Amino acid sequence: MKILLLGKNGQVGWELQRALSVLGDVVALDRHPASTPYGELKGDLSDLDSLRAAISAVSPQVIVNAAAYTAVDKAESERETAHIVNALASQVMAEEAKRLDAWLVHYSTDYVFDGTGTTPWSETDSVAPVNYYGATKLEGERLIQASGCKHLIFRTSWVYAARGNNFAKTMVRLAKERQTLNVIADQVGVPTGADLLADVAVLALQQALHNPDLAGVYHLAPSGETTWHAYASYVIEFARSHGEDLMVEAVNPIATTEYPTPASRPLNSRLDTAKLRNSFTLHLPDWQSGVTRMLMEDLNK
Ligand code: NDP
C-alpha cells in the first residue's frame, strides 16, 4: 500500500513517520522539494497546484495530513495563509482522495467549539469557533466532508511531543530559573501525546480500510482532564521527585483574562471520546501516563 504523509516534521507528522511504516510504503513530505521515487515533490500546503501535483504523482491509497497552520495567535493577522493551509489545502487533498478512491486521514481541534460549559464535547455538538485558527480548521473539516472522499478526521486538544519543545518541558525549565510561576487555571482540557495521535490513527485506519462505514469525525484525547495550572504542578512535582534541582516555590493559578492573547482560547476543551473507543474497540490511557513517559525521556538525557 502507498501512503502519502504531509507535514512529516511536525509533532504528529514525526510520530506518523514511525507509526505508518508498518502499513505500507510511506512517501513523507514537508514544504520543501525532495527527491522521491515519483520525482521531485514538495508538500507545500500554501501552493495548491504543487500539492495537487504531488498527490497525483504518488497516487496513494492513503493520504495522511499532519500539516497545518498551527500558530493560533499569528493566524489572527496572517489570515490568508492560515485559510489556504488549513482549509483550501484540505479541499485539494479531499478532491484528490475522492478521485483516487483513497482514504484521507486528517487532524482537527477542539477549537471548533466555543469552549462554554463543563461537559465534554461530542462529535454531534454545535460548532462555533472562538478564533480564526478554529474557523479555518472547521472549514477544512467541512470541505473534506463535502468532497465525498473516505475520511477519518480526528479532533484533538493540547498536543505535545517528546521531540522539540512543549509546555511540560518549558515548565520544568522555568521552574529551574524562577521562584514563582503564574499559570492559567480556568482552561480545562487533556494533554495529548503526538505518539498516541499517530498510533490511534494507524489502528483506526487499519480497520477503516476494511470497513468504509467507519469513515467520519472522531474525538481523540487520553482519558481524564486537567487545567494548565494543574498540568504544570504535576510536571513540576514529578521533576522534583526525580531529583531535578528546582528553584520554584509557588505555582500561582491565574485566570485567562490575566493573560491576554491575540486569539481567544476556549475554557472548555474536554472531548468525549466514546464514539472513537466504541467504533474501533480502543482503550485510551490516562493523560498522566503519556506525559510521565515523555518527561522521563527528557529528564534522563
Ligand atoms: P505542528 O505545529 O507541530 O506541525 C505542523 C506542521 O505543519 C509543521 O511541520 C509545519 O512545517 C507544517 N506546515 C505548516 N505550514 C505548512 C505549509 N504551508 N506547507 C507544508 N507544511 C506546513 O503541529 P501538530 O503536529 O501539533 O499538529 C498536527 C495536527 O493536530 C494539526 O492538524 C493541528 O491543527 C492539530 N491540532 C494541534 C494541536 C496542538 O496543540 N498543537 C491541538 C489540536 C489539534 P514547518 O515546520 O515547515 O512550518
Side-chain angles (χ1 to χ4, degrees):
M1 187 164 66
K2 257 187 296 179
I3 303 166
L4 175 61
L5 169 62
L6 296 153
K8 68 171 185 166
N9 289 322
Q11 299 191 95
V12 178
W14 181 255
E15 292 294 333
L16 279 165
Q17 288 194 50
R18 166 188 60 75
L20 287 168
S21 65
V22 295
L23 284 187
D25 285 330
V26 181
V27 178
L29 300 178
D30 61 17
R31 67 170 88 217
H32 307 293
S35 160
T36 77
Y38 310 94
E40 186 170 276
L41 303 175
K42 63 174 182 164
D44 182 351
L45 274 62
S46 65
D47 179 348
L48 300 180
D49 289 339
S50 81
L51 176 65
R52 201 182 287 278
I55 299 171
S56 195
V58 179
S59 289
Q61 281 89 46
V62 180
I63 302 168
V64 182
N65 179 29
Y69 186 103
T70 54
V72 175
D73 287 320
K74 230 162 103 184
E76 297 295 322
S77 47
E78 281 196 356
R79 290 192 165 217
E80 195 183 344
T81 309
H83 182 246
I84 293 171
V85 172
N86 289 347
L88 302 186
S90 305
Q91 183 178 29
V92 168
M93 290 178 221
E95 286 170 358
E96 289 300 299
K98 175 73 181 165
R99 186 179 63 78
L100 295 164
D101 193 28
W103 277 87
L104 174 59
V105 178
H106 181 78
Y107 292 91
S108 189
T109 168
D110 71 276
Y111 284 16
V112 298
F113 298 112
D114 68 7
T116 54
T118 55
T119 311
W121 297 104
S122 81
E123 289 82 353
T124 50
D125 284 332
S126 303
V127 288
V130 293
N131 56 42
Y132 191 68
Y133 163 79
T136 60
K137 294 295 291 184
L138 177 61
E139 191 179 336
E141 286 186 9
R142 287 183 166 157
L143 289 166
I144 291 169
Q145 288 163 324
S147 75
C149 77
K150 294 176 290 187
H151 61 271
L152 292 171
I153 298 174
F154 300 105
R155 288 186 187 141
T156 189
S157 72
W158 294 19
V159 178
Y160 67 87
R163 184 166 177 258
N165 280 325
N166 62 46
F167 174 81
K169 290 184 194 176
T170 302
M171 288 301 118
V172 174
R173 180 174 55 75
L174 292 177
K176 290 178 180 169
E177 296 167 1
R178 299 186 192 171
Q179 286 187 328
T180 305
L181 298 180
N182 297 329
V183 188
I184 289 173
D186 57 359
Q187 292 176 24
V188 180
V190 191
T192 305
D195 50 355
L196 182 76
L197 290 170
D199 292 345
V200 168
V202 168
L203 287 168
L205 179 60
Q206 221 174 357
Q207 294 184 44
L209 287 168
H210 301 290
N211 182 2
D213 289 345
L214 288 168
V217 176
Y218 295 91
H219 288 177
L220 167 52
S223 63
E225 63 180 54
T226 188
T227 65
W228 293 110
H229 175 262
Y231 182 13
S233 304
Y234 176 84
V235 162
I236 287 167
E237 279 319 303
F238 183 88
R240 185 167 269 139
S241 68
H242 282 75
E244 293 293 307
D245 189 12
L246 305 184
M247 183 190 274
V248 75
E249 285 165 9
V251 183
N252 297 326
I254 61 166
T256 299
T257 48
E258 293 174 76
Y259 189 75
T261 49
S264 303
R265 300 293 195 280
L267 296 182
N268 176 19
S269 289
R270 298 170 182 90
L271 292 171
D272 180 345
T273 60
K275 181 184 173 194
L276 177 88
R277 286 182 283 112
N278 296 336
S279 302
F280 298 103
T281 325
L282 280 174
H283 169 80
L284 292 169
D286 61 38
W287 67 265
Q288 291 93 334
S289 54
V291 167
T292 304
R293 189 166 168 275
M294 178 268 296
L295 282 173
M296 286 300 284
E297 285 179 28
D298 198 46
L299 298 177
N300 287 336
K301 271 180 195 157

